């Protein structure tokens, strides 16, 4: 039996082929797993549990079928879908986890994160993140009409893309550094939680990194995004495999 990890699917009605790839993955492999962990950014944007998108409805049904087959499904919020709430989680049969979260994986404690908290060099984003995670901000935002929330999400996506284009044009090396994890933050996080394995997404740089944290051998597994292909981490008692679909 295998435990499955995915992240950064960025599902959107404009990219139905990726949604279908994920639904097929759920049908073919998800229902036979020990567990399925979704580490954030399942959707390109999520403006509240009353979001009427077809992708949201079909994904809820697909994930619910996995849960109904007896496979526990866990979800950590990403920077694009941090407004996924308990109503949608119930419909999809997902259990919400905090970020970070430590879980037992075949006898080993493993730290799970979306990954954006590790990008501490991106100070502007960290300020935005803190603002939008504030319960008062969340309450005010969700109280707005659906159309206003949709407009905000579209504006936020365009502002993010414009900022990335500007940073790349100015200095691509700086862009790569700022948008990746900060090594010192990774090490401090591993030490703080007392674990040797960290799994996260967010940076869209799939890899398995070996590192040292306080003199201890550790590993950091980065999940890939689903823009051009699927990315899944398969874990069983014999080890870990980071694969493309």
């Amino acid at each position: 039996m295998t435990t499955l990890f995915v992240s950064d699917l960025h599902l959107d009605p404009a990219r139905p082929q990726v949604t279908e790839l994920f639904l097929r993955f759920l049908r073919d492999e998800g229902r036979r797993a020990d567990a399925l962990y979704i580490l954030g950014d399942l959707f390109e944007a999520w403006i509240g549990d009353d979001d009427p998108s077809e992708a949201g409805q079909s994904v809820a049904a697909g994930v619910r079928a996995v849960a109904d087959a007896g496979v526990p499904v866990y979800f950590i919020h990403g920077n694009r879908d941090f407004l996924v709430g308990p109503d949608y989680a119930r419909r999809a049969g997902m259990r919400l986890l905090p970020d970070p979260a430590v879980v037992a994986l075949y006898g080993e404690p493993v730290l799970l994160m979306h990954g954006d908290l590790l990008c501490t060099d991106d100070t502007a984003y960290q300020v935005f993140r803190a603002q939008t995670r504030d319960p008062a901000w969340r309450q005010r935002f969700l109280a707005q009409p659906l159309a206003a929330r949709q407009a905000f999400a579209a504006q936020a996506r365009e502002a993010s893309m414009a900022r990335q284009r500007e940073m790349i044009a100015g200095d691509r090396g700086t862009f790569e550094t700022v948008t990746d994890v900060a090594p010192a933050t990774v090490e401090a996080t591993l030490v703080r939680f007392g674990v040797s394995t960290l799994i996260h997404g967010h940076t869209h740089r799939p890899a398995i990194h070996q590192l040292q944290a306080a003199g201890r051998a550790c590993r950091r597994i980065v999940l890939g995004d689903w823009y051009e292909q699927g990315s899944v981490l398969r874990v069983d008692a014999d080890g870990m495999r980071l694969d493309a679909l």
Side-chain angles (χ1 to χ4, degrees):
M1 297 291 284
T2 304
T3 298
L4 305 171
F5 295 84
V6 297
S7 181
D8 298 280
L9 293 93
H10 294 272
L11 301 180
D12 189 286
R15 295 163 52 242
Q17 71 279 7
V18 179
T19 300
E20 181 50 41
L21 176 62
F22 180 55
L23 294 176
R24 188 164 64 247
F25 166 76
L26 294 176
R27 291 192 301 266
D28 295 347
E29 191 170 357
R31 299 184 196 186
R32 303 191 307 271
D34 275 343
L36 169 64
Y37 289 85
I38 303 170
L39 303 188
D41 284 2
L42 176 59
F43 298 104
E44 181 70 14
W46 192 258
I47 55 173
D49 287 354
D50 57 344
D51 190 313
S53 75
E54 183 178 341
Q57 296 174 32
S58 61
V59 168
V63 175
R64 165 60 72 176
V66 172
D68 288 346
V71 179
V73 181
Y74 302 95
F75 178 82
I76 286 180
H77 292 100
N79 56 292
R80 298 294 187 95
D81 53 14
F82 61 89
L83 288 171
V84 167
D87 289 345
Y88 187 79
R90 278 193 294 269
R91 282 186 331 197
M94 302 188 303
R95 309 177 195 183
L96 300 178
L97 293 178
D99 184 3
V102 176
V103 302
L105 195 60
Y106 304 105
E108 178 189 358
V110 172
L111 181 63
L112 307 180
M113 306 178 71
H114 174 59
D116 55 339
L117 281 170
L118 301 169
C119 301
T120 50
D121 288 337
D122 192 347
T123 54
Y125 169 73
Q126 295 300 332
V127 170
F128 173 78
R129 188 189 193 282
Q131 174 194 356
T132 55
R133 297 311 190 274
D134 180 73
W137 184 95
R138 177 189 179 104
Q139 184 177 20
R140 289 194 300 270
F141 181 80
L142 292 176
Q144 296 182 49
L146 181 63
R149 284 179 276 145
Q150 289 172 325
F152 175 88
Q155 182 181 27
R157 281 199 303 272
E158 178 53 39
S160 175
M161 293 171 61
R163 179 170 178 260
Q164 289 186 24
R165 290 192 296 267
E166 181 180 351
M167 291 174 67
I168 291 172
D171 185 340
R172 187 173 189 91
T174 300
F175 168 79
E176 295 291 342
T177 299
V178 168
T179 57
D180 202 355
V181 300
T185 303
V186 170
E187 181 176 356
T189 301
L190 287 165
V191 170
R192 176 160 62 99
F193 285 93
V195 299
S196 298
T197 300
L198 165 63
I199 303 173
H200 71 85
H202 180 65
T203 63
H204 301 186
R205 296 172 170 93
I208 298 179
H209 301 274
Q210 306 295 330
L211 66 148
Q212 295 283 321
R216 187 178 71 252
C218 297
R219 58 185 171 179
R220 177 172 66 92
I221 298 95
V222 188
L223 306 175
D225 64 78
W226 285 53
Y227 279 118
E228 302 297 333
Q229 61 185 17
S231 177
V232 58
L233 176 69
R234 299 180 173 98
V235 182
D236 58 27
D238 296 324
M240 299 184 171
R241 300 176 309 281
L242 183 59
D243 298 320
L245 300 178

